Amino acid sequence: MELNLETEIDRSRMRVSEQVAIRIEDMNKWYGTFHVLRDINLTVRRGERIVIAGPSGSGKSTMIRCINRLEEHQAGKIVVDGIELSSDLKNIDKVRSEVGMVFQHFNLFPHLTILENCTLAPIWVREIPRREAIETAMHFLEKVKIPEQANKYPGQLSGGQQQRVAIARSLCMKPRIMLFDEPTSALDPEMIKEVLDTMIELAEEGMTMLCVTHEMGFAQAVANRVIFMDQGQIVEENNPHDFFNNPQSERTRLFLSQILRH
Amino acid sequence: MSDRNLTFVRSEMLPAREPPTNQFGIVKLLREKLFNNWLSALLTVASLIVLVWIAGSLSPWLFNSVWSANSLSECRQILGGAEGACLAVIRDRWTQLLFGFYPPAQYWRPVLAFVLMLVAMAPILFPPVPRRLLWFSAVFPGLAYWLIWGGTLWLPVSAYAGLAVGGVVLRLTTRLGSGVAVGLAFAGALAWGFLASGLVTTVIEQLLPLSLPAVTSREMGGFLLSIVIGVTGISLSLPLGIVLALGRRSTMPLVKTVSVVFIEFIRGVPLITLLFTASLLLNYFLPPGTNFDLILRVIIMVTLFATAYMAEVIRGGLAALPRGQYEAAEALGLDYWKAQRLVIMPQALKISIPGIVNSFIGLFKDTTLVVFIGLLDPIALSNSIRATTDWQGIYWELFIFIGGLFFIFCFSMSRYSMHLERRLKTDHR
């Protein structure tokens, strides 16, 4: 699983600052009586690019979905950009407008055009004028290299194009943190690269990113930290070089041997 | 070495070509659908024979029809024993079938209201019509009430003033939380209705009289009645149904319980029962001397009935939406109401269009049930026309006319819904 990166990655702006973007302390979550997340502790600094890996059912998606409160945690503390997530709806909305999210199945709004998908939240949540929202949307659509599709509907686009629109849609809210929940898992191999390229570009600009992904090539090239999760807990956390070449935990070694064998 | 060569390399890509001609149009239809094999050929021929036979036996009845006669016996005289429709009854009584016992000198009022209704519906139903016309759609209900029932214009104006009072209260109190604000706005509008409205209406009417001769609900009937009840019921049951469907899916136990109980109760009771409740029982419950218009009561009951069905149809649409749509809307920071309005409802309603229109059509035809509580719907009028000595014994002609008019309304709704489905089709599946 080697990602063939034709373009050299520009690391000049990929700087990790001292500022804390996300702090998770002793976070626990249950689905009914099932303990999905156990004692999660994680501090993400501004500008960090973290890849979260692990077998299916290990709780990695659930963890990042807790960060923008798509899932509720029952114990512990999550602080995003200085705002603590609690049941206070105002805080939740504030956090959500700071944190962008990209889903496995894109979740574009099929009844709106690409442009409308991108301008909806800026107009209705940020309350910026329509014209300005359109300008921003076109800027980001150009960035993900599909401005010519602006007036089409999501159903007319390929999977890779839809995912790039989803990224642009999130970016239109000018988020300070981006969450990616298996963004390439539902894509054909040919389309994975176009999405990863977009994500790499984002990383080069210094975006704080948390990616749940199985793209180990992407992890090696872009991440500054890889987190391995199993059975609802963080099993290993390391820089990519050591994570792939010198994994400490037996479970990690087994996982890597499974996915890197081919 | 094998002599079979497994290598193949395409030197140039093939261009797209026209499909074979026998796969299209009339040829394909004849070959594949009508005369596919001997059995289908036989069935095609048999169906043709049946169609011709039906047309042959109906046409003399229609083509011999008598348009000018004053009674059924006169009709029979003219026909002289031949088969033929006596459509003279329609010519003689069509105004009654349309308006009931509405004063003939005032027929222009319901007709004008009907025409204005088409104007008011245009900007809602067809997007090319300028959105600015929506203000007329908002004004129309009051205007139509004034035109049809007559009386002073200031009564509906005062009702709108009550809405405005509610709106202002809502604006001012919105900081106190949306629930409180809605409650206060409601209270404000009611206070206006009970305390100020009557006085204000009387005073303005004296200063500036603007009234039409009053027509009572008893005098109305026929399609006027069906359309008044049907259109009001349809336009109220959709928004109420949306609210109820959301209520049923709410996570708040009280809201959810109230919605479920309402829906299950109303759906579990026949419409006739509700109509009898409206006409009889409410008299016992309301304070004596309350003048509560019968048509208004029927409209309320029909609306409640349709709302319960509508809520379930819309709930079906909501359930059909993938969870990801809610999550994407939430993740973008849209709050509950914005997410519902901008993302969820447009899609859920689109999915529910066939069910919604089904309920609309059902509701419109159910308006004929008001015959049981003594209101003169078209069917009731056909009975009273038959009760006269002139037209005793005439059935088909009246029923065909009534059925035809109902069909026109229902078929238009059906066609519109298909048009809407096509227009909203953006998923390219």
Side-chain angles (χ1 to χ4, degrees):
Chain A
M1 294 268 286
E2 228 13 67
L3 179 72
N4 207 352
L5 297 163
E6 285 138 31
T7 45
E8 195 66 17
I9 291 185
D10 170 18
R11 294 183 177 274
S12 62
R13 286 155 78 193
M14 286 162 92
R15 236 174 269 138
V16 178
S17 90
E18 281 306 299
Q19 276 181 312
V20 174
I22 303 168
R23 197 171 73 246
I24 303 177
E25 279 172 20
D26 294 324
M27 191 253 283
N28 279 277
K29 174 170 177 59
W30 289 263
Y31 282 130
T33 54
F34 178 56
H35 200 173
V36 248
L37 292 177
R38 305 176 194 180
D39 288 345
I40 303 288
N41 281 289
L42 178 68
T43 303
V44 182
R45 292 180 194 287
R46 203 160 286 298
E48 272 202 289
R49 302 154 313 274
I50 297 178
V51 162
I52 302 159
S56 67
S58 59
K60 47 197 196 310
S61 286
T62 312
M63 185 182 84
I64 69 163
R65 286 156 62 87
C66 282
I67 294 171
N68 66 352
R69 194 79 173 182
L70 287 182
E71 304 281 355
E72 210 175 306
H73 60 282
Q74 278 87 36
K77 202 164 143 186
I78 303 178
V79 182
V80 181
D81 247 346
I83 307 164
E84 180 172 357
L85 280 173
S86 58
S87 52
D88 186 347
L89 288 174
K90 282 218 178 79
N91 281 354
I92 295 175
D93 285 340
K94 221 184 286 171
V95 166
R96 282 177 179 163
S97 58
E98 296 295 324
V99 178
M101 181 145 197
V102 176
F103 299 87
Q104 180 177 2
H105 295 288
F106 332 133
N107 296 351
L108 294 178
F109 305 133
H111 63 301
L112 300 176
T113 62
I114 300 306
L115 189 62
E116 287 165 343
N117 263 282
C118 293
T119 55
L120 185 81
I123 291 174
W124 290 94
V125 180
R126 289 255 190 267
E127 290 176 356
I128 66 172
R130 181 173 297 269
R131 183 172 306 180
E132 205 178 304
I134 291 176
E135 264 170 38
T136 318
M138 286 315 292
H139 167 74
F140 284 114
L141 284 175
E142 262 159 48
K143 217 167 119 154
V144 300
K145 303 189 182 67
I146 31 179
E148 71 282 359
Q149 314 282 7
N151 291 313
K152 287 193 183 166
Y153 286 96
Q156 291 165 292
L157 268 56
S158 74
Q161 289 173 323
Q162 288 194 44
Q163 193 60 295
R164 283 184 284 153
V165 172
I167 294 174
R169 177 175 72 174
S170 290
L171 292 177
C172 284
M173 287 294 280
K174 309 264 173 77
R176 309 179 69 175
I177 300 163
M178 285 287 285
L179 308 175
F180 293 85
D181 187 1
E182 305 204 23
T184 55
S185 304
L187 296 176
D188 292 342
E190 274 188 275
M191 295 167 181
I192 291 179
K193 189 181 171 306
E194 62 188 53
V195 170
L196 289 182
D197 281 344
T198 309
M199 289 166 65
I200 290 168
E201 219 173 287
L202 208 55
E204 285 172 344
E205 284 164 18
M207 176 67 81
T208 312
M209 293 164 71
L210 270 84
C211 312
V212 173
T213 182
H214 300 296
E215 297 298 330
M216 291 305 137
F218 174 78
Q220 273 167 324
V222 177
N224 64 326
R225 189 146 49 120
V226 180
I227 290 174
F228 177 70
M229 285 183 73
D230 190 27
Q231 293 173 24
Q233 33 217 306
I234 295 179
V235 174
E236 185 160 352
E237 204 177 323
N238 216 332
N239 65 59
H241 182 266
D242 292 337
F243 181 84
F244 289 107
N245 298 317
N246 186 19
Q248 300 299 308
S249 132
E250 186 52 42
R251 185 69 190 88
T252 315
R253 243 171 284 161
L254 180 66
F255 176 76
L256 288 176
S257 75
Q258 294 288 345
I259 65 165
L260 296 179
R261 190 185 293 156
H262 305 292
Chain B
M1 266 300 259
S2 158
D3 52 358
R4 278 172 62 211
N5 187 2
L6 293 169
T7 315
F8 169 79
V9 179
R10 186 174 291 289
S11 55
E12 54 182 318
M13 303 303 273
L14 296 174
R17 279 173 304 203
E18 293 285 314
T21 47
N22 62 356
Q23 292 301 308
F24 283 97
I26 189 86
V27 185
K28 182 179 160 95
L29 178 77
L30 284 175
R31 275 171 50 120
E32 289 191 5
K33 309 283 183 213
L34 297 179
F35 300 98
N36 188 19
N37 54 33
W38 67 268
L39 181 63
S40 80
L42 199 69
L43 288 172
T44 305
V45 172
S47 324
L48 273 178
I49 291 172
V50 170
L51 283 178
V52 168
W53 179 74
I54 291 176
S57 39
L58 273 182
S59 54
W61 191 75
L62 281 174
F63 285 112
N64 282 341
S65 55
V66 177
W67 278 98
S68 47
N70 289 319
S71 67
L72 186 58
S73 44
E74 204 181 322
C75 255
R76 289 192 176 134
Q77 228 165 23
I78 294 172
L79 283 167
E83 277 212 13
C86 183
L87 294 174
V89 66
I90 310 295
R91 188 178 156 150
D92 190 31
R93 297 300 183 98
W94 67 274
T95 51
Q96 205 175 22
L97 285 170
L98 292 188
F99 302 107
F101 296 101
Y102 208 88
Q106 308 290 335
Y107 279 167
W108 64 271
R109 280 159 46 182
V111 171
L112 179 61
F114 183 76
V115 173
L116 291 180
M117 178 184 82
L118 300 180
V119 177
M121 282 185 337
I124 299 172
L125 300 185
F126 302 102
V129 179
R131 312 311 283 158
R132 267 172 287 132
L133 271 178
L134 278 173
W135 70 263
F136 181 73
S137 313
V139 169
F140 173 75
L143 190 60
Y145 171 83
W146 181 59
L147 280 173
I148 293 172
W149 273 270
T152 168
L153 174 64
W154 302 113
L155 184 66
V157 170
S158 153
Y160 278 101
L163 284 182
V165 168
V168 169
V169 173
L170 188 66
R171 254 297 153 72
L172 293 178
T173 56
T174 207
R175 287 175 298 117
L176 304 175
S178 52
V180 180
V182 169
L184 284 175
F186 214 66
L190 281 182
W192 170 268
F194 281 112
L195 305 175
S197 177
L199 186 68
V200 171
T201 309
T202 328
V203 170
I204 303 183
E205 175 64 20
Q206 306 235 300
L207 295 174
L208 189 65
L210 255 180
S211 51
L212 287 169
V215 179
T216 63
S217 295
R218 284 270 159 221
E219 293 169 273
M220 290 170 202
F223 278 94
L224 168 60
L225 188 66
S226 293
I227 293 174
V228 165
I229 298 173
V231 170
T232 319
I234 283 172
S235 39
L236 290 179
S237 66
L238 184 60
L240 291 176
I242 291 174
V243 172
L244 211 53
L246 292 178
R248 188 162 192 172
R249 286 171 66 90
S250 167
T251 48
M252 285 180 266
L254 183 68
V255 175
K256 188 179 168 128
T257 315
V258 169
S259 309
V260 170
V261 168
F262 179 87
I263 292 172
E264 296 304 339
F265 174 72
I266 299 276
R267 278 203 311 172
V269 174
L271 178 57
I272 292 286
T273 325
L274 293 177
L275 290 177
F276 277 126
T277 313
S279 83
L280 302 171
L281 290 180
L282 282 184
N283 279 345
Y284 298 121
F285 294 127
L286 293 170
T290 333
N291 183 20
F292 201 56
D293 190 272
L294 185 57
I295 292 186
L296 184 58
R297 286 191 233 169
V298 167
I299 285 177
I300 291 173
M301 285 305 181
V302 168
T303 305
L304 292 184
F305 190 73
T307 300
Y309 279 87
M310 195 59 66
E312 287 298 279
V313 169
I314 293 169
R315 192 167 66 94
L318 286 171
L321 276 196
R323 175 106 203 90
Q325 291 292 308
Y326 293 88
E327 287 176 354
E330 282 175 20
L332 284 169
L334 294 167
D335 64 29
Y336 177 80
W337 291 108
K338 281 179 187 159
Q340 290 295 342
R341 185 174 133 210
L342 301 166
V343 176
I344 306 302
M345 271 305 154
Q347 297 184 62
L349 290 179
K350 189 183 96 182
I351 299 171
S352 324
I353 288 174
I356 291 175
V357 174
N358 207 7
S359 302
F360 282 172
I361 290 177
L363 184 158
F364 187 60
K365 291 187 301 177
D366 279 353
T367 57
T368 51
L369 289 176
V370 298
V371 61
F372 291 110
I373 55 165
L375 285 175
L376 294 170
D377 81 299
I379 307 285
L381 283 165
S382 82
N383 288 336
S384 66
I385 289 171
R386 212 175 303 114
T388 60
T389 43
D390 283 349
W391 300 112
Q392 205 171 9
I394 198 156
Y395 285 92
W396 285 103
E397 292 79 355
L398 287 171
F399 285 144
I400 286 175
F401 178 73
I402 295 167
L405 271 186
F406 269 112
F407 180 79
I408 290 173
F409 285 114
C410 296
F411 190 62
S412 334
M413 282 193 249
S414 159
R415 295 308 298 184
Y416 176 75
S417 85
M418 286 162 91
H419 158 80
L420 197 61
E421 278 180 66
R422 264 199 311 278
R423 196 178 81 204
L424 297 179
K425 187 169 160 41
T426 56
D427 51 359
H428 305 277
R429 266 192 291 210

